[in-house]
Amino acid sequence: MEDNYEGQLPHLTTEIVADARGPELDAYALALEGWRRGLELKWYTKDSEDFSGMKTWFTDKPGKLFSLSNGVRVHYFFKTRGDKIANSAVDICTDKAVTKRWLEEAGIPIAPGKGFKSENTDEEIVRHASSLGFPVVIKPSDGSFGKGVYTNIKSTGELKAAIKKVRTTHSATNIVIEKHIVGQDYRVFVCDGKVVGAIKRIPANVIGDGKHSIKQLIEMKNQKREDNPRLVSCMIKPNAEMVEYILANKYTYESVPESGVEVYLTDKSNISLGGDSEEALSSLSTDIKEICIKAIRAIPGLPHGAIDIIVNEAGVHVIEINPTPQIGSLLFPLVGKATDIPKYIIDFYFPETKGLQTDRQKIYYDFSDALEPLFNRNALVTTVKMAPVGTIYSKKYTVSGSVQNKGFHRGLRKQAFERGLVGYLSNLDNGDIEVVISGTSKEEVEQFKEAFYEDTERAEVLEIEEIDWNKPVKVGFEIRADLKTGLEDLQRLISEKEQLEKEIRLAKKEIRNTKNSSSWKLTQPVRKVTLPIKNYFKKKN
């Protein structure tokens, strides 16, 4: 798959992260960075005792918990949050009302507002909102991804309806009311006292072309988002709230906007709700960056994290702080140059590895293979094969002749392992094979050509073409022909299993029908007499 925009990081192409799209993308990108520097990488299930002292929230699905070690010390990570972040900092940031108090005490500009608990009445909340002045925002104290957030509430009636939705539909006992701030929405990433990345977040929208309806434009934009490893899991999904919003702006899904007209589908800028991401680090002023750094420092035990801010003519307003932020939009913004957030995090945890990521764009590991034992519950932890660190040399050999023997292929794999090389072999439709070989020894990579001539009993090599190879290669050695055969065998076994299950169901049905038949019921007294006699002679014989 080709890169979908010019600003993509060369060591995080769509091919490399293909198996880690969605919620696992952040953890994989961070773990991959550390692994490429020669650190030992382990992946864990939620049952592992290694994470018993770390606050984590996740489903049973593996791919979020991992550790990196340099042989002397180990650091543990949950997604993008490492163990240098204190649990107490996580507790503070998880509760938006508590976060606001810490920021306010540190003199950080915030959106005016207040937290309310389950015992507070609707009337108390309405009175506070009136004192702030409409419009206001209501949201759960512990919410995320924009769920349960209602913005730009302009009246008491709207507020009462929103309170009911937050407390019932979203089951939020504690909520926050704050002044609705209009302005540009940014997510800023701070690590070790420096602003290292920022994106502008734009609410889900489409741009008219004078030909297609809003519904069609959404479908077209979603097709573009599918090419982005982060946005592929953040499609624009029409719902009742979106219908209300576009109706309020004099549109319907069937409306055809004029060419160049931008139509917003919501006023929430969350990327997870279909918002756009635009790289913005260079556009932020020094003053804004300094406020973001101070906001992180205001939370004890929080050396890195993301700050959500609104910027307008009145200045900066810090909205939230996230100690476990998603970084996919910084790695794969819809517009602009990507920011290498994993580099800064690994620099912070393992500063001695800063110069050890040479040729990192040329090597990676299979994420699905690494997690398979965890998914199958065969293990609570898996260790990824160590990465070759240093300059990576790669060749692609196209071998002609009688070279389709599986034993020959497996012999080549054995040779690759013995030489400390990685790569893959695949069969071509014309009967040739294609072999890609990579390693840190230029001599071993070039001498691998000799391996094709060594197994004369199982292969006859007529010609070898070789070229330098610059694309990424997985560690290990994959025989893709074997994988294809294995998949065919698996499909055959699945078909046989389905046929056997069908036959068993039919047999059981036939037995049930027989037992319910009149003849079976009428002969039951006879069977009661003859069955003991049959059993007696069976034992005697």
Side-chain angles (χ1 to χ4, degrees):
M1 187 182 293
E2 294 298 320
D3 296 347
N4 58 290
Y5 63 93
E6 294 180 358
Q8 190 168 25
L9 296 169
H11 57 280
L12 281 179
T13 62
T14 50
E15 175 187 355
I16 290 172
V17 301
D19 290 341
R21 298 189 176 192
E24 287 80 32
L25 174 61
D26 301 325
Y28 177 66
L30 185 57
L32 181 65
E33 175 67 17
W35 174 81
R36 280 170 162 167
R37 299 191 190 191
L39 298 172
E40 183 184 60
L41 169 61
K42 294 182 179 182
W43 288 95
Y44 300 81
T45 67
K46 67 168 188 170
D47 307 313
S48 173
E49 293 183 0
D50 300 82
F51 286 85
S52 58
M54 192 173 184
K55 284 188 175 292
T56 54
W57 297 272
F58 51 91
T59 63
D60 290 338
K61 188 177 180 182
K64 301 173 182 67
L65 295 173
F66 64 95
S67 69
L68 293 167
S69 172
N70 63 2
V72 177
R73 69 182 189 281
V74 182
H75 286 296
Y76 297 91
F77 296 84
F78 169 57
K79 297 183 181 178
T80 59
R81 170 162 51 86
D83 55 15
K84 287 191 175 185
I85 293 179
N87 285 337
S88 57
V90 178
D91 287 336
I92 291 171
C93 295
T94 301
D95 191 319
K96 295 178 176 61
V98 175
T99 304
K100 291 175 76 71
R101 289 201 298 269
W102 279 88
L103 294 175
E104 193 170 21
E105 290 174 6
I108 306 299
I110 60 174
K114 182 181 176 182
F116 292 88
K117 298 185 180 297
S118 57
E119 57 266 26
N120 293 115
T121 64
D122 291 1
E123 287 69 25
E124 291 178 271
I125 298 172
V126 170
R127 280 198 298 271
H128 179 72
S130 299
S131 67
L132 289 175
F134 290 101
V136 297
V137 175
I138 182 173
K139 52 190 173 183
S141 291
D142 59 352
S144 59
F145 306 115
K147 295 177 181 177
V149 177
Y150 295 89
T151 62
N152 199 25
I153 298 170
K154 299 176 181 177
S155 68
T156 298
E158 286 183 29
L159 178 57
K160 287 182 177 180
I163 293 171
K164 183 177 181 181
K165 289 180 181 178
V166 174
R167 283 184 161 171
T168 56
T169 306
H170 301 283
S171 303
T173 54
N174 299 334
I175 60 178
V176 172
I177 294 289
E178 61 187 25
K179 183 72 176 175
H180 178 76
I181 307 294
V182 179
Q184 297 289 348
D185 185 315
Y186 295 89
R187 166 155 287 190
V188 183
F189 197 93
V190 173
C191 183
D192 195 21
K194 297 183 288 292
V195 172
V196 297
I199 54 167
K200 181 164 69 172
R201 303 189 299 182
I202 303 166
N205 65 88
V206 294
I207 297 178
D209 59 5
K211 301 176 182 177
H212 296 91
S213 68
I214 289 178
K215 181 180 179 181
Q216 292 171 325
L217 292 171
I218 290 173
E219 292 171 353
M220 292 163 62
K221 189 162 188 177
N222 278 340
Q223 289 177 0
K224 180 180 179 181
R225 294 172 79 88
E226 286 179 355
D227 294 331
N228 185 295
R230 164 60 180 140
L231 301 181
V232 68
S233 59
C234 305
M235 295 290 104
I236 301 174
K237 299 176 181 179
N239 53 34
E241 187 178 334
M242 192 175 290
V243 170
E244 290 180 12
Y245 187 86
I246 63 175
L247 282 173
N249 287 278
K250 314 297 186 198
Y251 290 104
T252 70
Y253 280 138
E254 304 307 320
S255 300
V256 178
E258 294 181 9
S259 180
V261 173
E262 188 172 29
V263 178
Y264 285 96
L265 309 173
T266 176
D267 57 358
K268 296 178 184 178
S269 57
N270 302 73
I271 306 301
S272 58
L273 298 179
D276 292 346
S277 54
E278 183 178 316
E279 189 276 326
L281 182 61
S282 58
S283 65
L284 295 181
S285 68
T286 302
D287 290 342
I288 293 175
K289 292 178 182 178
E290 190 59 36
I291 289 172
C292 293
I293 293 170
K294 288 180 179 178
I296 287 289
R297 287 176 177 164
I299 310 299
L302 185 65
H304 60 88
I307 305 96
D308 294 340
I309 61 174
I310 300 291
V311 179
N312 57 22
E313 294 179 356
V316 181
H317 302 273
V318 176
I319 305 301
E320 293 180 16
I321 295 183
N322 194 330
T324 319
Q326 291 191 335
I327 59 174
S329 297
L330 290 153
L331 296 174
F332 298 97
L334 187 64
V335 178
K337 187 177 179 180
T339 306
D340 195 355
I341 300 299
K343 171 189 177 300
Y344 294 106
I345 297 176
I346 300 301
D347 282 354
F348 177 60
Y349 281 85
F350 296 95
E352 73 280 1
T353 67
K354 288 184 179 180
L356 298 179
Q357 64 268 39
T358 308
D359 276 3
R360 56 184 172 157
Q361 68 267 28
K362 293 184 179 180
I363 200 79
Y364 67 112
Y365 68 91
D366 192 302
F367 188 49
S368 296
D369 284 353
L371 297 185
E372 184 179 3
L374 306 182
F375 275 107
N376 295 337
R377 305 300 295 172
N378 294 327
L380 298 180
V381 57
T382 60
T383 303
V384 179
K385 177 182 171 64
M386 295 294 288
V389 177
T391 302
I392 304 293
Y393 303 94
S394 301
K395 290 277 188 180
K396 183 179 83 169
Y397 296 100
T398 303
V399 186
S400 303
S402 179
V403 292
Q404 293 287 337
N405 186 286
K406 292 181 182 179
F408 174 56
H409 298 170
R410 290 163 187 159
L412 292 173
R413 178 172 59 190
K414 184 173 180 291
Q415 290 250 27
F417 288 156
E418 290 174 350
R419 296 167 186 257
L421 303 175
V422 301
Y424 67 85
L425 179 153
S426 60
N427 284 331
L428 302 180
D429 292 338
N430 63 0
D432 295 349
I433 60 172
E434 180 180 274
V435 182
V436 170
I437 286 292
S438 296
T440 55
S441 170
K442 184 178 182 181
E443 183 180 4
E444 289 288 359
V445 170
E446 292 178 344
Q447 288 182 353
F448 190 81
K449 186 176 181 179
E450 300 170 5
F452 297 114
Y453 295 103
E454 293 183 6
D455 193 350
T456 55
E457 293 184 2
R458 293 186 288 192
E460 180 183 3
V461 176
L462 300 180
E463 184 181 1
I464 299 176
E465 295 180 3
E466 67 175 91
I467 61 171
D468 290 332
W469 186 253
N470 296 315
K471 294 183 179 180
V473 179
K474 294 179 185 178
V475 291
F477 192 91
E478 178 183 344
I479 301 179
R480 295 181 175 175
D482 277 4
L483 286 176
K484 181 180 179 182
T485 302
L487 289 173
E488 291 173 352
D489 291 342
L490 178 61
Q491 187 59 49
R492 176 179 54 79
L493 290 172
I494 291 172
S495 297
E496 290 176 358
K497 177 175 176 288
E498 290 174 349
Q499 180 61 31
L500 181 60
E501 289 174 343
K502 182 179 179 181
E503 291 175 2
I504 291 172
R505 287 196 301 271
L506 290 173
K508 286 182 176 179
K509 182 178 180 181
E510 187 174 339
I511 291 171
R512 285 196 305 270
N513 291 338
T514 300
K515 287 183 176 181
N516 291 328
S517 67
S518 300
S519 59
W520 180 265
K521 292 176 181 178
L522 287 171
T523 57
Q524 186 175 6
V526 178
R527 289 196 305 274
K528 284 183 178 181
V529 174
T530 58
L531 185 60
I533 298 173
K534 287 181 180 179
N535 290 338
Y536 169 77
F537 283 108
K538 192 178 290 183
K539 290 178 181 179
K540 193 173 181 180
N541 294 332

